[in-house]
Amino acid sequence: MNRYRQSADFLRLVLLAGVLLASAAIRAQDALPSWNDGPAKAEILKFVDEVTAEGTSSFVAPSERIAVFDNDGTLWAEQPMYFQLAFALDRVRAMAKDHPEWKGKQPFDAAIKGDMKALAASGEKGIAALVAASHAGMSTDDFARTVTDWFATARHPKTRQPYSSMVYQPMLELLGYLRSKGFKTFIVSGGGVEFMRAFAEKTYGIPPEQVVGSSGVLKWEMRGNAPVLVKQPKIEFIDDGPGKPVGIQRFIGRRPVFAFGNSDGDQQMLEWTAAAGGGPRFMGLVHHTDAKREWAYDRKSSIGKLDKALDEALARKWTVVDMSTDWNRVFPFDP
Amino acid sequence: MNRYRQSADFLRLVLLAGVLLASAAIRAQDALPSWNDGPAKAEILKFVDEVTAEGTSSFVAPSERIAVFDNDGTLWAEQPMYFQLAFALDRVRAMAKDHPEWKGKQPFDAAIKGDMKALAASGEKGIAALVAASHAGMSTDDFARTVTDWFATARHPKTRQPYSSMVYQPMLELLGYLRSKGFKTFIVSGGGVEFMRAFAEKTYGIPPEQVVGSSGVLKWEMRGNAPVLVKQPKIEFIDDGPGKPVGIQRFIGRRPVFAFGNSDGDQQMLEWTAAAGGGPRFMGLVHHTDAKREWAYDRKSSIGKLDKALDEALARKWTVVDMSTDWNRVFPFDP
């Protein structure tokens, strides 16, 4: 073989490698176009490749491909207040005249006065209390209608967009990508389960039966000849912090192999996922680092505080998404 | 047209009708071979045909094809005692020496003494109490292993079969038939959710996340470096009677269009299904009328009492399965 033939072969090899690399890049770009090439995207793709590789020790059967996502701050924004809090405030204000007993009592007083600092400090427990109390006596059907109506008209104070448009485009792509790879995607959130179900299917493609959340007590009643489930002013379950693994066990009954959160309220969910047997597991956090396109907050935020979970993620080499560098687009309505 | 031609045409018409009827019968027989041709089978087939007929007013989108089944007495047998009670008794007896405080206290005393009458009277609430108490301190993983081990060795006192073989062959066929028609099948049972999940996927093809049941409180704990969920001796939720619509709303978040039960504990689940909007709905009861192949009991039974729900089913023309005439086979191991 002469030197000319040898160098031609070498050139062909280089070209072939280039084509393969380019097609791999295109494939990845197709699945997650709003994710910049970087460690977060690479870790997602690597994990999915591993668990779907049949005949390998890392293979996970489709029935076990359970992926769980926090909602507030992970799938959609949570600033300047949890969106469900904005909904609850609108409800509480509309109902205040019929509830003199709310006066001077927190978190109701803060809600009526619009004291956002006091409200933010009440956290997801405060929201749950507001929702439970302000909707006591309402049937589940009426509640679902009220939420749907609110989404149709309410607008975010900063972007003036409908709240259901304030979802993260890269996470929508990730949900679709995982489902295309045989994963069953679940929401596991501190938000109210019936609030989230009113938009989760349309917005995320996640059906009601795959939404796990906080809940109030329901009571079966006959109204006329028709049975209704009536919301009671009592919290039943808070799906936050250590409540998240409990909610996963109660509602899903399997350990997730993939979990994404953004705050200390997700720490136990990530730990529960990490501890699930051998084989690859994916634990991810969205780090809000983008004051320009979204918000920048972490260790000292009263909403979506990310402190201990960030330390643990860094120590255990979990995936931490830097919103400002990992995402080339944040919201679907971004240019 | 001469008379010969006319009668030939008529003959062809009769033959064609015969072929169509025969092929319909073969089709039905293929889907539900253990169901005799009769009103129950015809009502099931008619309902499924209606909700899957695209372009008609009775059509139900696949995502809304939610079918819920009670477990004890509906998918598997429940005599001479709920199978979970047999499991709990075995556990309580094994643990009794370490729990002197159970002596003289019901339902524990009855469990230890084998007083079946007192136990049966304690109902599904009694079972839940036995399970909750006898497993307090156990992790969910350990509990799942214990249940799996029990199924592998325990035998039914009458048939000497494994309990997981005491399922109704016609209902296995019905579950498969519905799934083949785009339905999502759920268990909604008074039984313990973690007990049922240990066998439901293998036995019924129903995954853990589609099992709704009674539950005890769980607590997140670190044992060494590993997180565990520990069963607490406190009942959290009883998924029976009016609790069934509550469980459906909480876990599934949609109204079922198809519901099957066998006792008064299923009455509200059937009413909730019947009240779900317009369009066809299927409400069914298994009536235990077969003392020879299974058991015969209804209005006066302490287990699986069927009294008020039977009256309502007859009055509202819901489907009532007469086990002795509607099923040509009861258990998979029957000849």
Side-chain angles (χ1 to χ4, degrees), chain A residues 63-64 66 140-141 184 186 193-194 197 201 207-211 213-220 222 226-229 236-237 242-243 245-246 248-255 267-269 271-272 275, chain B residues 63-64 66 140-141 184 186 193-194 197 201 207-211 213-220 222 226-229 236-237 242-243 245-246 248-255 267-269 271-272 275:
Chain A
S63 64
E64 298 289 342
I66 303 292
T140 50
D141 286 350
K184 210 164 177 176
F186 289 81
V193 68
E194 305 205 324
R197 281 172 175 160
E201 187 159 36
E209 63 269 27
Q210 286 162 226
V211 178
S214 298
S215 54
V217 172
L218 296 176
K219 189 164 172 263
W220 167 265
M222 296 299 289
V228 288
L229 293 173
E236 183 184 71
F237 176 60
V246 170
I248 288 168
Q249 178 69 14
R250 181 69 67 239
F251 284 73
I252 307 175
R254 297 192 213 257
R255 293 281 190 107
Q267 190 174 7
Q268 288 85 356
M269 175 170 83
E271 289 173 349
W272 186 240
Chain B
S63 64
E64 298 289 342
I66 303 291
T140 50
D141 286 350
K184 210 164 177 177
F186 289 81
V193 68
E194 305 205 324
R197 282 172 175 160
E201 187 158 37
E209 62 270 26
Q210 287 163 223
V211 178
S214 298
S215 54
V217 171
L218 296 177
K219 189 163 173 266
W220 167 266
M222 296 299 288
V228 288
L229 293 173
E236 182 184 72
F237 176 59
V246 170
I248 288 169
Q249 178 68 15
R250 181 68 66 239
F251 284 73
I252 307 176
R254 297 192 213 256
R255 294 279 193 108
Q267 190 174 7
Q268 287 85 355
M269 175 170 83
E271 290 172 350
W272 186 240

Side-chain angles (χ1 to χ4, degrees), chain A residues 1 16 24 36 48 127 135 161 165 172 186 204 241 252 254 256 268 273 276 283 323 325:
Chain A
M1 203 182 285
L16 181 66
N36 289 322
V48 172
I127 298 171
H135 302 293
Q161 295 283 335
S165 298
L172 294 180
F186 289 81
Y204 303 130
I252 307 175
R254 297 192 213 257
Q268 288 85 356
T273 303
M283 284 66 64
M323 191 183 276
T325 60

Side-chain angles (χ1 to χ4, degrees), chain A residues 229-308:
Chain A
L229 293 173
V230 181
K231 292 171 83 67
Q232 307 295 303
K234 197 185 162 194
I235 294 169
E236 183 184 71
F237 176 60
I238 300 283
D239 188 44
D240 195 36
K244 290 205 174 194
V246 170
I248 288 168
Q249 178 69 14
R250 181 69 67 239
F251 284 73
I252 307 175
R254 297 192 213 257
R255 293 281 190 107
V257 294
F258 184 107
F260 231 118
N262 78 300
S263 78
D264 285 358
D266 301 311
Q267 190 174 7
Q268 288 85 356
M269 175 170 83
L270 300 182
E271 289 173 349
W272 186 240
T273 303
R281 298 290 179 265
F282 182 93
M283 284 66 64
L285 282 170
V286 175
H287 191 189
H288 294 264
T289 53
D290 197 328
K292 203 175 159 201
R293 296 182 301 175
E294 207 241 5
W295 285 269
Y297 58 97
D298 49 27
R299 295 185 190 273
K300 290 183 177 167
S301 178
S302 60
I303 299 171
K305 181 179 176 176
L306 175 63
D307 183 34
K308 288 183 186 171

Side-chain angles (χ1 to χ4, degrees), chain A residues 44-57:
Chain A
I44 291 168
L45 295 174
K46 179 171 176 282
F47 170 80
V48 172
D49 281 349
E50 282 177 355
V51 298
T52 56
E54 282 192 67
T56 69
S57 64

